[in-house]
Amino acid sequence: MSNPQAWSSLVRFIRQYYATAEGLVPLHAPCFDQREKDLVTNCIDSTFVSSVGQYVTEFEQQVAAFTGAKYAVAVVNGTVGLYLALKVVGVQSNDLVLTQSLTFVATPNAIKMHQADPVFIDVEPETMGLCPAALKAFLTEHSDQRNGRCIHRQTGRVIRACVPMHTLGFPARIDAILDICNQYNIALVEDAAESLGSVYHGRHTGRFGQLGVFSFNGNKIITTGGGGMLITDDAELARHAKHLSTTAKVPHAWLFEHDEPAYNLRMPNLNAALGVAQMQKLPQFIAQKRQLAQHYQHQPGLVMQKEPANTQANYWLNALMCQDQTERDAFLDWTNSQQIQTRPLWTPMHQLPIYAQALRGEMTQTEWLAARVVNLPSSVVNDA
């Protein structure tokens, strides 16, 4: 790929696609029109701008219906959504939680918020998500089953949960991961932050584990400014998550009674109003993103990440594969100098000083991908 003609051709395509002859082409910008403004104005006029109001419930119902989940719980961001999901599946202080190193820092941070520790497992190049074979190998070598719990053999600590991520919207092999978790008595929580609109074997991501968690940050496929959502088919997990997110307040017309230590994590109605408007456009956004992915895949000289068989990716961010880190860095330098915003994947978590001492398996594929992948501009275009 490393030739000036291929790079120049790509930049010309991006500027033509986004009708931006000069100036910055962002990596991923939100797409708003009058509908969002109208609902936000309605919310302001109602005076219900905090965690009580019609739009929070409506947004939850829309996400549940779209994904096929029975229940949805709206929270203030995806990170606390992961924290809350881990809380209700029983993660405790000193537990171990399996996850991938190739992820955004919010994933292990949510684990550390419980005073638990992440254990990093390698990913696979086909999905960029947690590798079932690596997961199985780690558990076979390092764990035992005792009294219905999975115990890390060297430390005696409980391996309580597993948090794979659907990287950039490409579904991980979540059915195989679920089978392993069930075999080892490990709770499964899906980090689906980037994968709203992605489907694995006909089923929406986030619906294989006990819970799935989406993010609605400003750079996601739909946004509420800041926000997250837990989905589940388990009525008790949904009830407990919502209860904890609303300070564990016992329902009453006027008394303030709370029955367990809890949190104030409910999504504000103002943010949810944005979400309701955005959900109406989600099918259009997905279709446009998939079309853009096709355009990128047909650009000369590019090797793009493609959705694996039997999956449908939302192509939240399109992923270009470079030959090596030298080419990656040269491409990043050149495109950003042309005001085309491109970005590498996250620094792998095990390479960050804050997580360098965490337990981990081999990181061969994680490090290979991190050295090569570049994300290209992937915003949707406002047709309004």
Side-chain angles (χ1 to χ4, degrees), residues 14 18 20 23-30 339-342 376-379:
I14 291 171
Y18 288 108
T20 307
L24 178 68
V25 178
L27 184 69
H28 197 289
Q339 292 192 283
I340 304 296
Q341 195 172 61
T342 57
L376 302 180
S378 300
S379 305

Side-chain angles (χ1 to χ4, degrees), residues 4-297:
Q5 288 184 338
W7 292 8
S8 296
S9 176
L10 175 61
V11 167
R12 285 195 299 270
F13 164 73
I14 291 171
R15 289 205 172 278
Q16 181 180 21
Y17 183 85
Y18 288 108
T20 307
E22 58 184 21
L24 178 68
V25 178
L27 184 69
H28 197 289
C31 182
F32 300 138
D33 59 26
Q34 191 61 45
R35 179 62 175 166
E36 282 84 0
K37 295 176 183 177
D38 289 343
L39 293 193
V40 169
T41 298
N42 288 343
C43 182
I44 292 170
D45 290 344
S46 77
T47 73
F48 288 95
V49 295
S50 294
S51 57
V52 175
Q54 71 179 75
Y55 291 119
V56 183
T57 301
E58 186 175 351
F59 187 37
E60 289 173 332
Q61 292 171 342
Q62 287 179 334
V63 171
F66 183 85
T67 61
K70 292 182 179 178
Y71 309 99
V73 179
V75 291
V76 293
N77 57 57
T79 306
V80 297
L82 285 172
Y83 170 81
L84 196 56
L86 292 169
K87 174 76 173 180
V88 298
V89 299
V91 171
Q92 303 171 28
S93 175
N94 202 46
D95 282 350
L96 298 176
V97 178
L98 305 164
T99 191
Q100 58 200 67
S101 179
L102 195 68
T103 185
F104 182 55
V105 73
T107 312
N109 283 354
I111 296 166
K112 289 294 290 186
M113 288 164 68
H114 286 282
Q115 296 183 308
D117 285 312
V119 178
F120 296 121
I121 306 297
D122 208 2
V123 297
E124 53 184 358
E126 296 81 7
T127 67
M128 299 186 290
L130 191 72
C131 176
L135 176 63
K136 177 71 172 180
F138 181 89
L139 289 168
T140 299
E141 182 177 354
H142 296 290
S143 75
D144 296 312
Q145 294 293 305
R146 302 177 198 166
N147 301 317
R149 298 188 302 176
C150 186
I151 305 297
H152 184 251
R153 189 175 300 132
Q154 288 85 349
T155 64
R157 299 168 70 181
V158 177
I159 302 175
R160 190 80 64 180
C162 178
V163 187
M165 185 179 72
H166 301 290
T167 307
L168 307 181
F170 294 96
R173 284 202 291 141
I174 195 65
D175 56 350
I177 295 169
L178 175 61
D179 287 344
I180 295 167
C181 288
N182 287 340
Q183 179 183 349
Y184 284 85
N185 297 307
I186 296 170
L188 176 60
V189 171
E190 294 175 65
D191 184 343
E194 302 166 355
S195 68
L196 184 64
S198 298
V199 175
Y200 183 84
H201 287 254
R203 191 174 189 183
H204 201 289
T205 55
R207 293 197 55 232
F208 291 80
Q210 279 92 325
L211 302 106
V213 181
F214 299 111
S215 169
F216 305 116
N217 188 39
N219 65 353
K220 295 302 188 291
I221 187 168
I222 68 166
T223 182
T224 57
M229 187 85 73
L230 292 77
I231 61 169
T232 183
D233 288 341
D234 188 306
E236 177 53 26
L237 289 179
R239 183 209 65 78
H240 196 200
K242 184 174 180 179
H243 190 57
L244 288 174
S245 75
T246 53
T247 68
K249 185 177 183 296
V250 178
H252 193 278
W254 43 266
L255 277 179
F256 288 91
E257 294 185 349
H258 308 262
D259 58 8
E260 61 179 309
Y263 323 100
N264 183 14
L265 302 179
R266 189 82 166 141
M267 178 184 284
N269 201 37
L270 199 59
N271 297 81
L274 275 179
V276 168
Q278 290 268 285
M279 280 299 293
Q280 296 174 5
K281 304 172 184 176
L282 181 55
Q284 168 196 336
F285 288 173
I286 295 168
Q288 190 181 121
K289 280 178 163 293
R290 290 178 59 79
Q291 183 181 58
L292 174 59
Q294 288 292 317
H295 288 313
Y296 276 135
Q297 290 165 21

